[in-house]
Amino acid sequence: MADNAWTPDSWRSKPIKQDVVYDDPKELEAVVGRVANLPPLVSSPEIDRLRAQLKDVAEGRAFLLQGGDCAESFDYCNPTAIEDKLKVLLQMSLVLLWGMRLPIVRIARMAGQYAKPRSSPYETVNGETIMSYRGDNVNSIDPACRRPDPQRLLQAYFHSASTVNFVRLLLDSGFADIHQPEAWDLGHVRNPEIRREYQSIVNRLTDSLEFMSVIGATSSQASALNTVDLYTSHEALLLEYEQALTRAVPKPLPGAEPALAGRKRPYEPSTPPRKALAPELCDWYNLSAHFIWIGDRTRQLDGAHVEYFRGVKNPVGVKVGPTMDPAELVRALDILDPDF
């Protein structure tokens, strides 16, 4: 195999940062094997649609809005918490849409943002040195339960699946219907002036929609007014888990029409194929989320995370901070997207 050949596990040959050491490697292997045989959380056509929409963002024809938690807790997987996050994202996107007159691409940091990179593997609590809290998919925030537990990876999968399922249910049920923006409660907003400004936008939007309805201008755009695309994202920190949800998807046949923004293409299998596909016949997608990114602590050019990210078809991000040299960023982009 060529030195630069990529496989879903080629990252294992590279030095890795922020890795988790488990007491029982065999238990970890069993859990990861279980995840690898579970259904994907998102689909490759959805990811391709996001890629097309992000192209519009890059070319100034749309605007990207990403929001959510720095780190999710399993406890956040409940209807109220999920609805509240969606309301905030919808409210923000409505204001941006009204003010910018551009389509808004919405990406939520949810349904998988369970891991936390840490500056040290240990911390001091009440005078005692214990393992750092690494996120709900590694250990517990309870100081008495800091041992990394592989079973939490399985819990992360099912909490992510439940969150994704409930988000789809809400969107399919008209939760994002732009005709009813007043239903996105503003109880969390304390500043009365902000509430008044938002209500003013809602009132003007409602008047515009009523006028369009009167003249019959809304029927052909019903789907765009009744729902939205909402994509999920997280920092792909734990590569064993990410590899387990990395699936081979057959490439489109020559001459096949590519997926376009706003258009859904037919279903394509995204579960592990019964027979291995030849590398030239497939693309690899991380189907744990639509969009994934490399954190500031794991962006080493010769490291495991950059190696993993360079082979997946998802749109990917790199967290860029003041410690990153511009030349290093250029080299990272050359590795992650050599065809750009």
Side-chain angles (χ1 to χ4, degrees), residues 236-300:
L237 189 63
L238 303 182
L239 294 183
E240 293 90 351
Y241 178 84
E242 304 300 336
Q243 178 187 330
L245 284 164
T246 303
R247 309 290 168 82
V249 176
K251 290 182 177 180
L253 295 174
E257 186 176 354
L260 301 176
R263 180 187 299 178
K264 296 183 179 180
R265 77 184 188 205
Y267 168 78
E268 292 181 359
S270 51
T271 53
R274 291 180 174 83
K275 293 183 180 179
L277 295 171
E280 66 274 12
L281 298 179
C282 68
D283 290 314
W284 290 94
Y285 288 78
N286 181 317
L287 298 180
S288 69
H290 301 101
F291 177 81
I292 53 176
W293 71 86
I294 305 174
D296 191 54
R297 295 184 175 96
T298 54
R299 53 173 169 76
Q300 296 76 22

Side-chain angles (χ1 to χ4, degrees), residues 186-339:
L186 280 178
H188 61 282
V189 177
R190 299 180 181 179
N191 187 313
E193 182 61 29
I194 293 177
R195 293 172 67 94
R196 282 194 294 271
E197 290 180 7
Y198 176 77
Q199 191 59 50
S200 174
I201 292 174
V202 169
N203 292 341
R204 283 180 285 169
L205 177 63
T206 301
D207 288 344
S208 299
L209 291 174
E210 288 178 353
F211 175 76
M212 291 171 65
S213 178
V214 169
I215 65 174
T218 59
S219 58
S220 62
Q221 300 295 327
S223 61
L225 297 173
N226 295 339
T227 189
V228 298
D229 285 331
L230 185 77
Y231 302 102
T232 61
S233 68
H234 64 260
E235 179 181 352
L237 189 63
L238 303 182
L239 294 183
E240 293 90 351
Y241 178 84
E242 304 300 336
Q243 178 187 330
L245 284 164
T246 303
R247 309 290 168 82
V249 176
K251 290 182 177 180
L253 295 174
E257 186 176 354
L260 301 176
R263 180 187 299 178
K264 296 183 179 180
R265 77 184 188 205
Y267 168 78
E268 292 181 359
S270 51
T271 53
R274 291 180 174 83
K275 293 183 180 179
L277 295 171
E280 66 274 12
L281 298 179
C282 68
D283 290 314
W284 290 94
Y285 288 78
N286 181 317
L287 298 180
S288 69
H290 301 101
F291 177 81
I292 53 176
W293 71 86
I294 305 174
D296 191 54
R297 295 184 175 96
T298 54
R299 53 173 169 76
Q300 296 76 22
L301 299 182
D302 63 345
H305 288 79
V306 170
E307 169 64 20
Y308 170 78
F309 272 70
R310 77 179 179 92
V312 294
K313 193 76 179 290
N314 304 59
V316 300
V318 181
K319 187 173 182 180
V320 177
T323 62
M324 187 175 221
D325 184 86
E328 181 186 2
L329 175 59
V330 172
R331 292 196 299 272
L333 296 177
D334 285 341
I335 296 170
L336 295 170
D337 191 5
D339 299 324

Side-chain angles (χ1 to χ4, degrees), residues 74 114 136 149-160:
F74 290 162
Y114 295 119
D136 274 13
D149 181 2
Q151 296 299 326
R152 284 181 167 268
L153 295 175
L154 198 58
Q155 293 179 47
Y157 170 88
F158 285 113
H159 281 87
S160 297

